[in-house]
Amino acid sequence: MLRILLSAQTSPARLSGLLLIPPVQPCCLGLSKWADRPLGGGPSAGPVQGLQRLLEQAKSPGELLRWLGQNPTKVRVHHYSVALRRLGQLLGSRPRPPPVEQATLQDLSQLIIRNCPSFDIHTIHVCLHLAVLLGFPSDGPLVCALEQERRLRLPPKPPPPLQPLLREARPEELTPHVMVLLAQHLARHRLREPQLLEAIAHFLVVQETQLSSKVVQKLVLPFGRLNYLPLEQQFMPCLERILAREAGVAPLATVNILMSLCQLRCLPFRALHFVFSPGFINYISGTPHALIVRRYLSLLDTAVELELPGYRGPRLPRRQQVPIFPQPLITDRARCKYSHKDIVAEGLRQLLGEEKYRQDLTVPPGYCTDFLLCVGSSGAVLPVRTQDPFLPYPPRSCLQGQAASSPTTRDPAQRVVLVLRERWHFCRDGRVLLGSRALRERHLGLMGYQLLPLPFEELESQRGLPQLKSYLRQKLQALGLRWGPEGG
């Protein structure tokens, strides 16, 4: 782009672009002894600012040069960029700008060349940009001197790094240990990198016969956690074959693989038949991991109930079911001091009153809700103590239909769940919800709860409790909710 600009000819249209560049202030041009002084402050601020005003009001290129040449003790580095900008305005202010004497341009160039070693990097960039737009030749002394100073200011280039292992070898040539470390790194740091995830999927397909289910569970972990379904067409058929082969060998690994696939909405029926069979359930009951496996099986059973209407195989017996997530997740507890939950709770308390919402309520089959409201058929927010806060589970089909309809339904006790979407609930890119979060919201919606997401970007933009209350009021009113004396 710079070469194209340098090779272009000067024209009034190009010069008019200079008018879009704001006046350069000394306080924003890098560190100098003048940068921290207020405008008009200090004994020397007046003459310096006075010279800037003279340059900005100059009537001709010759007058610009005269102001710079006659006041050497008052000239600061930013004055040269101000002079170039004013020169562009003078040349571009008329359809046919008057010719400028070459001697004037040469004298101005020499002034800038002589002083540019004292320029900061910002002033160099501004002067270089203006010189290009003014049509100074790319191989001329002014542009060359500015380019040389720009290169001197750049940090030295580091030596080229050694090629990483993933660029020297194909994924199938790497060891399972290396790929497991890569998968764990992506999952731990919420890095949703498609190329690396596709490499892991390809490795899993190529090395299918060599991998045990204990290794596979670690390779599949980042896909569910990062909510990423790979493009590799053999990914799911490969996992189904591995599950069929290894399911009876490592029960916990088998359930972990199914948990990742549950987050991706890709549960294979054959594997579900196996883990819900009486033999498998009896076998895991006597293992050290019985409680966590039963919790995972309870979540899988919920996914079958809500997301797989065509499934006709065995299910988890009612007596074996346990709450899925009976309390806030570990990450939320660890980052509670960074959470917006406390200030949102205070905003709801002042806006609705303590009796009209419940915080951290766990609803069947075991999902912990951030804030839950009970809403009447007219949209009035009702006191929670007068209502059953739980919707029936398994849900009735009519409730599922209502969840997908308009925000305010005719159900006399609709449930609205305010969902905090904190920064760590997303992949590192901040756009895609983590698999566990997306799964929870999906299941709550299918159970009949009306979800009201509160994204972290919106919460972080609120300055103080009054502004947050106004934000919450707008969110609730957008759903047609009412409260206060007129709202019940």
Side-chain angles (χ1 to χ4, degrees):
M1 179 62 72
L2 182 59
R3 293 178 179 176
I4 296 175
L5 289 174
L6 290 174
S7 62
Q9 298 296 323
T10 306
S11 67
R14 290 169 62 249
L15 293 174
S16 63
L18 293 171
L19 302 176
L20 301 178
I21 303 176
V24 183
Q25 300 294 338
C27 58
C28 65
L29 294 177
L31 298 177
S32 72
K33 65 179 182 179
W34 302 98
D36 296 328
R37 295 193 178 183
L39 298 181
S44 301
V48 172
Q49 292 301 317
L51 177 58
Q52 178 169 332
R53 286 194 295 270
L54 291 174
L55 293 173
E56 292 173 346
Q57 298 171 4
K59 304 300 183 182
S60 66
E63 189 175 347
L64 275 175
L65 185 62
R66 185 166 65 253
W67 289 129
L68 289 174
Q70 292 179 354
N71 301 273
T73 60
K74 301 175 184 177
V75 176
R76 301 292 178 262
V77 293
H78 70 279
H79 288 148
Y80 296 102
S81 56
V82 173
L84 283 176
R85 178 177 177 274
R86 182 56 182 163
L87 179 60
Q89 292 174 335
L90 291 172
L91 296 179
S93 59
R94 302 177 184 177
R96 299 178 60 87
V100 181
E101 296 182 1
Q102 289 299 317
T104 301
L105 294 179
Q106 290 177 2
D107 292 343
L108 181 58
S109 299
Q110 290 302 319
L111 274 176
I112 297 176
I113 293 172
R114 188 183 316 125
N115 292 277
C116 69
S118 63
F119 290 3
D120 54 56
I121 185 63
H122 181 80
T123 305
I124 290 174
H125 277 294
V126 172
C127 289
L128 186 60
H129 176 72
L130 294 174
V132 170
L133 291 178
L134 285 170
F136 283 91
S138 59
D139 55 350
L142 176 59
V143 174
C144 289
L146 291 172
E147 276 287 353
Q148 181 180 359
E149 291 297 330
R150 185 187 67 84
R151 286 192 294 268
L152 291 176
R153 301 298 196 283
L154 295 177
K157 291 185 178 180
L162 296 177
Q163 291 293 329
L165 189 58
L166 283 175
R167 295 183 182 177
E168 293 175 348
R170 294 190 297 272
E172 59 267 23
E173 296 175 353
L174 300 174
T175 64
H177 178 67
V178 172
M179 300 305 288
V180 165
L181 290 178
L182 174 61
Q184 291 175 337
H185 179 79
L186 295 178
R188 182 179 299 114
H189 297 285
R190 314 194 317 274
L191 299 175
R192 198 173 191 266
E193 298 290 342
Q195 291 184 341
L196 297 179
L197 291 168
E198 292 293 342
I200 295 174
H202 181 64
F203 174 84
L204 193 149
V205 171
V206 172
Q207 300 290 338
E208 171 189 345
T209 59
Q210 309 299 322
L211 302 176
S212 67
S213 56
K214 293 184 178 180
V215 174
V216 172
Q217 68 173 340
K218 299 175 183 177
L219 295 178
V220 176
L221 173 65
F223 296 98
R225 175 168 171 75
L226 301 173
N227 204 2
Y228 181 84
L229 183 63
L231 300 177
E232 173 64 60
Q233 295 182 355
Q234 291 301 313
F235 179 75
M236 280 304 303
C238 171
L239 287 179
E240 292 183 19
R241 291 190 295 268
I242 292 175
L243 287 171
R245 183 183 74 234
E246 298 276 336
V249 179
L252 183 58
T254 299
V255 178
N256 281 333
I257 294 173
L258 287 175
M259 283 290 295
S260 295
L261 295 181
C262 181
Q263 293 172 347
L264 296 174
R265 308 178 74 173
C266 296
L267 286 172
F269 280 25
R270 184 177 178 183
L272 291 175
H273 277 260
F274 178 80
V275 298
F276 288 145
S277 65
F280 182 85
I281 295 175
N282 292 335
Y283 174 76
I284 61 99
S285 297
T287 64
H289 309 293
L291 179 59
I292 190 172
V293 172
R294 287 174 60 193
R295 182 169 295 166
Y296 288 173
L297 290 180
S298 299
L299 177 57
L300 292 174
D301 187 79
T302 301
V304 169
E305 175 70 39
L306 298 175
E307 301 186 33
L308 298 179
Y311 178 81
R312 296 294 181 266
R315 295 278 297 276
L316 185 66
R318 185 72 63 180
R319 67 181 183 277
Q320 296 285 351
Q321 295 180 2
V322 296
I324 302 172
F325 302 111
Q327 56 189 353
L329 298 181
I330 295 176
T331 53
D332 286 336
R333 297 200 300 270
R335 305 190 184 194
C336 60
K337 63 181 179 180
Y338 305 110
S339 175
H340 294 88
K341 182 171 289 188
D342 289 342
I343 190 171
V344 171
E346 180 61 22
L348 290 175
R349 188 188 69 82
Q350 295 188 17
L351 193 63
L352 305 178
E354 294 182 358
E355 73 282 358
K356 292 190 177 180
Y357 74 93
R358 286 287 297 274
Q359 181 177 345
D360 293 333
L361 180 66
T362 299
V363 300
Y367 283 111
C368 184
T369 59
D370 296 321
F371 301 97
L372 185 140
L373 311 178
C374 294
V375 182
S377 58
S378 63
V381 181
L382 306 175
V384 180
R385 56 181 172 79
T386 65
Q387 305 291 323
D388 181 2
F390 307 120
L391 290 179
Y393 181 84
R396 299 189 299 268
S397 58
C398 61
L399 288 179
Q400 294 185 17
Q402 291 173 0
S405 63
S406 61
T408 53
T409 66
R410 296 186 178 181
D411 188 89
Q414 183 192 3
R415 307 299 185 272
V416 176
V417 175
L418 277 66
V419 181
L420 292 183
R421 288 183 173 177
E422 303 284 9
R423 186 178 294 272
W424 57 87
H425 294 169
F426 290 81
C427 299
R428 189 58 63 92
D429 59 11
R431 297 186 299 272
V432 179
L433 273 174
L434 294 176
S436 59
R437 300 289 173 175
L439 178 69
R440 183 183 74 149
E441 293 189 15
R442 187 165 71 243
H443 283 183
L444 286 174
L446 290 172
M447 286 189 289
Y449 293 93
Q450 176 68 33
L451 302 184
L452 178 58
L454 303 178
F456 70 90
E457 304 98 333
E458 297 179 2
L459 293 173
E460 290 177 355
S461 66
Q462 309 306 315
R463 296 294 181 262
L465 190 58
Q467 195 173 40
L468 178 69
K469 286 170 56 180
S470 176
Y471 164 78
L472 293 174
R473 182 182 295 108
Q474 294 175 6
K475 284 284 188 179
L476 296 176
Q477 289 177 344
L479 291 180
L481 306 188
R482 300 183 297 108
W483 59 90
E486 73 283 358

